């Protein structure tokens, strides 16, 4: 790979996003990283310690204004790899959720992500070169009772990634969907899910998830489901009635199901 390729990673302050940025840094990419919290500055410092040239952007990635701010920092530089990882979750029953928080999940996971891909993807298409990694989820295979909006957004992203990949076939631009399962990040605490089974049980290592996703993107693969358990889960989900899947999900995500 030529030196000084350029990558943009969103949701890179912690978790899978930070680990994806580390993969980029170790592979010789210059970076612009973004998140909606001040911790993005500390992440940039950590990445510079790996020898990467890094700029950080704190912006609300659920808004077009926040994406415009990020794109303003990117400027006219050609983006060789876009890792669209920013996402938020939300637990509890849909009718018990504050709608402002529901809207933020949709706007971050879908609207902001698509707006950024639309902007960066058009530039890639003009050059006939680029890689896009979209962080979907195995959650997109299951009707997520007590995570209904989040799972719905991930089902959208999983589907969208395959459709976009086909549209860009033979264009020089590849699209890869990373579909992890439950991963040891800040996600469940931020989603108010620490009183649930899925929020408290053992989870996958974000570094392992990111490594698999990065390698799949660099190889131009269509998708990667990380972890044997998650691969089995998606296989079973494809042949299980949605009503049963929703009932099973309740056992994981309903408040009060946390391990004692």
């Amino acid at each position: 790979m030529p030196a000084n390729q350029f990558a943009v990673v969103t949701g890179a302050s912690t978790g899978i996003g930070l680990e994806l940025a580390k993969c980029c840094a170790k592979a010789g990419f210059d970076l612009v990283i973004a998140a909606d919290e001040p911790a993005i500055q500390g992440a940039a410092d950590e990445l510079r310690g790996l020898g990467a040239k890094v700029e950080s952007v704190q912006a609300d990635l659920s808004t077009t204004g926040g994406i415009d701010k990020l794109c303003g920092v990117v400027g006219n530089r050609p983006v060789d790899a876009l890792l669209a990882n920013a996402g938020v979750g939300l637990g509890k029953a849909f009718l018990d959720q504050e709608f402002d928080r529901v809207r933020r999940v949709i706007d971050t996971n879908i609207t902001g992500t698509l707006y950024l891909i639309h902007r960066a993807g058009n530039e890639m298409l003009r050059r006939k070169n680029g890689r896009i990694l979209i962080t979907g989820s195995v959650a997109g295979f299951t009707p997520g009772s007590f995570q209904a909006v989040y799972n719905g957004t991930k089902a959208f992203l999983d589907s969208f990634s395959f459709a976009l990949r086909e549209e860009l076939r033979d264009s020089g631009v590849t699209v890869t969907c990373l579909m992890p399962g439950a991963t040891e990040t800040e996600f469940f605490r931020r989603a108010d899910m620490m009183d649930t089974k899925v929020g408290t049980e053992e989870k996958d290592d974000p570094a392992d998830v990111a490594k698999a996703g990065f390698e799949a993107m660099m190889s131009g693969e269509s998708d990667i489901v990380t972890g044997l358990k998650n691969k089995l889960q998606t296989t079973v989900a494809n042949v299980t009635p949605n009503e049963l899947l929703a009932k099973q999900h309740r056992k994981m995500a309903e408040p009060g199901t946390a391990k004692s």
Side-chain angles (χ1 to χ4, degrees):
M1 185 181 72
N4 300 317
Q5 288 216 323
F6 178 53
V8 176
V9 187
T10 63
S13 54
T14 60
I16 295 172
L18 176 56
E19 296 299 332
L20 285 169
K22 288 179 182 177
C23 291
C24 291
K26 292 173 183 176
F29 283 87
D30 293 337
L31 284 161
V32 167
I33 59 171
D36 63 358
E37 59 181 356
I40 195 67
Q41 314 298 342
D45 291 338
E46 185 175 352
L47 293 165
R48 291 185 190 109
L50 297 174
K53 181 179 179 182
V54 185
E55 295 173 76
S56 61
V57 182
Q58 183 179 345
D60 184 350
L61 301 176
S62 71
T63 67
T64 54
I67 299 298
D68 287 340
K69 180 180 179 181
L70 169 58
C71 291
V73 173
V74 172
N76 294 322
R77 286 175 287 185
V79 177
D80 298 294
L82 170 63
L83 296 87
N85 170 79
V88 294
L90 187 60
K92 301 185 169 48
F94 173 67
L95 295 181
D96 292 335
Q97 295 166 347
E98 297 175 10
F99 194 76
D100 284 349
R101 295 192 69 188
V102 170
R103 180 70 183 270
R104 185 172 181 79
V105 172
I106 296 168
D107 287 347
T108 303
N109 296 6
I110 297 178
T111 310
T113 297
L114 264 60
Y115 181 43
L116 178 58
I117 292 170
H118 193 268
R119 292 196 59 170
N122 268 291
E123 184 272 329
M124 290 178 177
L125 187 57
R126 283 192 292 271
R127 289 187 294 115
K128 302 187 184 308
N129 186 60
R131 296 181 173 92
I132 299 171
L133 179 70
I134 299 172
T135 300
S137 175
V138 299
F141 289 80
T142 302
S145 45
F146 299 92
Q147 266 187 297
V149 175
Y150 172 77
N151 282 38
T153 64
K154 290 301 183 177
F156 179 98
L157 288 177
D158 291 352
S159 173
F160 171 79
S161 70
F162 284 99
L164 181 62
R165 178 182 176 85
E166 176 59 26
E167 291 178 4
L168 293 172
R169 181 161 51 91
D170 301 325
S171 70
V173 181
T174 60
V175 180
T176 303
C177 188
L178 169 59
M179 294 182 278
T183 305
E184 195 61 61
T185 69
E186 292 293 303
F187 173 90
F188 294 96
R189 181 185 62 78
R190 293 172 176 169
D192 294 333
M193 294 185 68
M194 296 310 294
D195 60 347
T196 67
K197 181 177 185 294
V198 69
T200 52
E201 66 184 4
E202 185 177 353
K203 302 175 187 64
D204 295 335
D205 184 338
D208 293 340
V209 171
K211 183 175 183 289
F214 179 80
E215 289 176 352
M217 178 191 74
M218 295 302 292
S219 298
E221 296 175 28
S222 63
D223 63 290
I224 176 72
V225 176
T226 56
L228 177 60
K229 181 179 75 171
N230 298 320
K231 289 182 173 72
L232 291 172
Q233 179 183 328
T234 58
T235 301
V236 170
N238 283 327
V239 295
T240 303
N242 281 332
E243 184 176 10
L244 179 56
L245 290 172
K247 286 181 179 179
Q248 292 173 338
H249 200 276
R250 172 190 282 267
K251 298 174 183 177
M252 298 171 47
E254 185 174 13
T257 55
K259 294 180 179 179
S260 58

